[in-house]
């Protein structure tokens, strides 16, 4: 494999992760693939992370640092993408780490198969130290455009079971930088979290080919309490409505495949998510918040002419109660 140019830019948003940053960066600077660049994007972190980033950059000339005002994960990733010089791009959350041979393996697959992106599996590491491999229920190997349409499109945005499709998180993937720039794909800065959803859906729709390294748990995803991926965030419903609206703006204009059912299920999924959050509050406050969600235009649209899913009885009951706006009963069921 050529070593005369940067093969991959690894973009690492940094915000309030002083406990984990050294662990993350250590796994990157010690990669078996040496011709890489590591872009640490300090997203206005209020702790010691800005100084840590500068210290790390002095220790390895492959590390670049961007300091910026806080703008959220999408904004930080986009800032890294703007200066990335690698043939490929990868994204790592700064409270996680990766296998030391992750990028050598993934770049090798990308080079051999000439695909738009490569996806591996990942290892989930729980707070108690236990771990397990997270694998997808799709075939491993090479996906042509025809196989993407037949196997991925039916669950691209949301499954019929009201769960994520196979393409979601970006951090266990690498992307062809030229292809990303060709289609103008960046992260939606109006969506402050769960931003992978839009990016991966559009990538899945636009790509001509990809490769799935099934069974290769190369990324280590940690259950780190209090970080950007685990903290409860006020205003979640507004963020998710914005995400769904932006998905509609993109996918409603597509003529070669009908994603309308998946967009309805997507909105319902995030309504369920927010109802779960609200159920931790006092009954009156929670019921009012749930009522506001269920009576919103977004939910009215999602349930208009809605065909019931082929899921569990519990799921069907939940959806029935949501459709008929039974907020207090939903709260009581969720808090039993």
């Amino acid at each position: 494999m050529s070593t005369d140019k940067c093969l991959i830019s690894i973009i690492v948003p940094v915000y309030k992760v002083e406990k984990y940053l050294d662990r993350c960066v250590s796994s990157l600077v010690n990669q078996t693939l040496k011709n890489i660049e590591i872009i640490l994007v300090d997203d206005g972190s209020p702790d010691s992370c800005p100084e840590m980033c500068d210290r790390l950059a002095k220790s390895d000339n492959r590390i670049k640092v961007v300091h910026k005002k806080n703008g959220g994960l999408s904004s930080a990733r986009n800032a890294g993408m703007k200066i990335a010089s690698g043939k490929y791009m990868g994204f790592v959350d700064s409270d996680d780490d990766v296998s030391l041979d992750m990028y050598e393996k993934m770049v090798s697959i990308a080079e051999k198969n000439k695909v738009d992106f490569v996806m591996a599996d990942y290892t989930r590491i729980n707070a108690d130290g236990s771990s397990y491999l997270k694998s997808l229920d799709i075939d491993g190997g090479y996906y042509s455009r025809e196989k993407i349409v037949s196997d991925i499109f039916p669950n691209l945005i949301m499954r019929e079971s009201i769960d994520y499709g196979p393409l979601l998180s970006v951090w266990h993937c690498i992307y062809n930088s030229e292809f990303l720039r060709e289609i103008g794909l960046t992260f939606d800065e109006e969506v402050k979290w769960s931003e992978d959803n839009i990016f991966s859906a559009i990538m899945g729709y636009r790509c001509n080919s990809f490769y799935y390294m099934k069974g290769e748990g190369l990324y280590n995803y940690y259950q780190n309490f209090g970080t950007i991926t685990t903290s409860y965030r006020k205003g979640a419903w507004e963020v998710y409505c914005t995400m769904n609206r932006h998905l509609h703006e993109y996918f409603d204009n597509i003529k070669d495949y009908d994603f309308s059912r998946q967009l309805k299920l997507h909105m319902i999924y995030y309504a369920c998510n927010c109802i779960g959050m609200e159920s931790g509050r006092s009954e009156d406050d929670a019921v009012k918040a749930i009522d506001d969600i269920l009576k919103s235009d977004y939910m009215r649209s999602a349930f208009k002419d809605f065909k019931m899913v082929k899921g569990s009885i519990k799921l069907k009951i939940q959806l029935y109660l949501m459709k008929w706006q039974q907020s207090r009963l939903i709260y009581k069921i969720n808090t039993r």
Side-chain angles (χ1 to χ4, degrees):
M1 192 174 293
S2 173
T3 58
D4 60 354
K5 64 178 180 179
C6 173
L7 277 172
I8 185 164
S9 300
I10 305 164
I11 298 164
V12 186
V14 177
Y15 186 77
K16 294 176 70 173
V17 287
E18 55 189 8
K19 288 174 59 178
Y20 312 111
L21 186 58
D22 280 331
R23 180 184 71 188
C24 174
V25 175
S26 176
S27 74
L28 300 178
V29 298
N30 290 303
Q31 285 290 301
T32 54
L33 179 64
K34 300 303 181 185
N35 47 333
I36 65 177
E37 75 175 354
I38 301 159
I39 303 174
L40 304 180
V41 184
D42 161 35
D43 191 34
S45 188
D47 56 7
S48 63
C49 283
E51 293 75 24
M52 292 177 70
C53 288
D54 291 336
R55 170 179 58 79
L56 289 163
K58 290 177 181 178
S59 69
D60 194 311
N61 60 15
R62 297 172 300 171
I63 298 177
K64 297 179 181 178
V65 178
V66 176
H67 295 288
K68 60 182 289 296
K69 292 182 179 180
N70 180 253
L73 193 54
S74 292
S75 172
R77 285 176 174 165
N78 288 342
M81 292 177 74
K82 285 179 182 177
I83 67 167
S85 63
K87 183 175 181 180
Y88 301 96
M89 292 188 205
F91 302 93
V92 174
D93 288 351
S94 47
D95 54 334
D96 296 328
D97 61 30
V98 302
S99 300
L100 297 184
D101 58 356
M102 174 171 174
Y103 293 110
E104 182 175 21
K105 286 184 173 181
M106 297 187 81
V107 168
S108 177
I109 290 288
E111 293 281 271
K112 179 180 178 181
N113 293 277
K114 307 300 181 186
V115 291
D116 296 323
F117 74 96
V118 177
M119 177 171 62
D121 281 332
Y122 65 96
T123 301
R124 175 66 186 250
I125 302 174
N126 297 318
D128 62 5
S130 62
S131 63
Y132 56 94
L133 179 71
K134 289 286 289 184
S135 193
L136 301 171
D137 61 348
I138 59 173
D139 296 336
Y142 178 81
Y143 279 73
S144 64
R145 179 64 181 178
E146 292 73 22
K147 188 171 175 63
I148 292 169
V149 173
S150 64
D151 292 16
I152 303 300
F153 275 23
N155 303 298
L156 178 64
I157 300 170
M158 190 62 56
R159 297 181 186 276
E160 187 65 20
S161 58
I162 311 188
D163 199 1
Y164 289 123
L167 307 185
L168 178 65
S169 300
V170 301
W171 32 254
H172 58 114
C173 301
I174 67 168
Y175 302 89
N176 183 296
S177 299
E178 183 178 352
F179 183 72
L180 288 179
R181 292 178 179 124
E182 178 185 316
I183 65 174
L185 182 56
T186 58
F187 291 90
D188 190 329
E189 295 190 17
E190 283 192 61
V191 178
K192 299 301 183 183
W193 58 94
S194 297
E195 67 297 318
D196 290 15
N197 198 313
I198 297 179
F199 185 98
S200 296
I202 295 175
M203 185 67 184
Y205 175 72
R206 292 296 302 274
C207 72
N208 300 300
S209 61
F210 75 90
Y211 193 100
Y212 172 35
M213 301 171 67
K214 192 177 183 73
E216 293 267 11
L218 302 178
Y219 188 97
N220 298 317
Y221 179 91
Y222 288 83
Q223 184 184 22
N224 296 316
F225 292 110
T227 62
I228 193 170
T229 54
T230 59
S231 300
Y232 170 81
R233 294 184 179 273
K234 185 178 180 181
W237 176 242
E238 288 75 15
V239 171
Y240 295 144
C241 287
T242 298
M243 174 168 55
N244 193 258
R245 174 166 52 84
H246 289 188
L247 281 169
H248 269 286
E249 288 169 357
Y250 187 88
F251 285 97
D252 283 351
N253 294 316
I254 287 171
K255 305 300 183 184
D256 59 349
Y257 197 89
D258 183 6
F259 290 99
S260 58
R261 169 72 171 178
Q262 292 183 51
L263 290 168
K264 286 177 179 284
L265 297 177
H266 179 269
M267 193 71 262
I268 292 169
Y269 172 91
Y270 280 105
C272 291
N273 185 288
C274 289
I275 287 170
M277 290 183 189
E278 298 295 345
S279 296
R281 301 170 65 191
S282 67
E283 180 170 349
D284 287 344
D285 288 343
V287 169
K288 182 181 184 307
I290 294 170
D291 212 42
D292 288 343
I293 291 170
L294 297 182
K295 291 181 179 178
S296 68
D297 290 341
Y298 288 96
M299 291 310 296
R300 292 180 190 276
S301 176
F303 278 117
K304 184 179 180 181
D305 302 321
F306 183 72
K307 180 182 176 183
M308 185 54 71
V309 301
K310 296 178 181 179
S312 66
I313 294 297
K314 182 178 179 181
L315 176 60
K316 290 180 179 180
I317 291 172
Q318 169 91 356
L319 296 182
Y320 181 86
L321 294 175
M322 289 171 65
K323 180 178 180 179
W324 296 106
Q325 301 173 5
Q326 299 298 305
S327 304
R328 194 167 296 275
L329 186 52
I330 290 171
Y331 171 83
K332 290 184 180 298
I333 290 174
N334 282 331
T335 55
R336 285 179 59 185

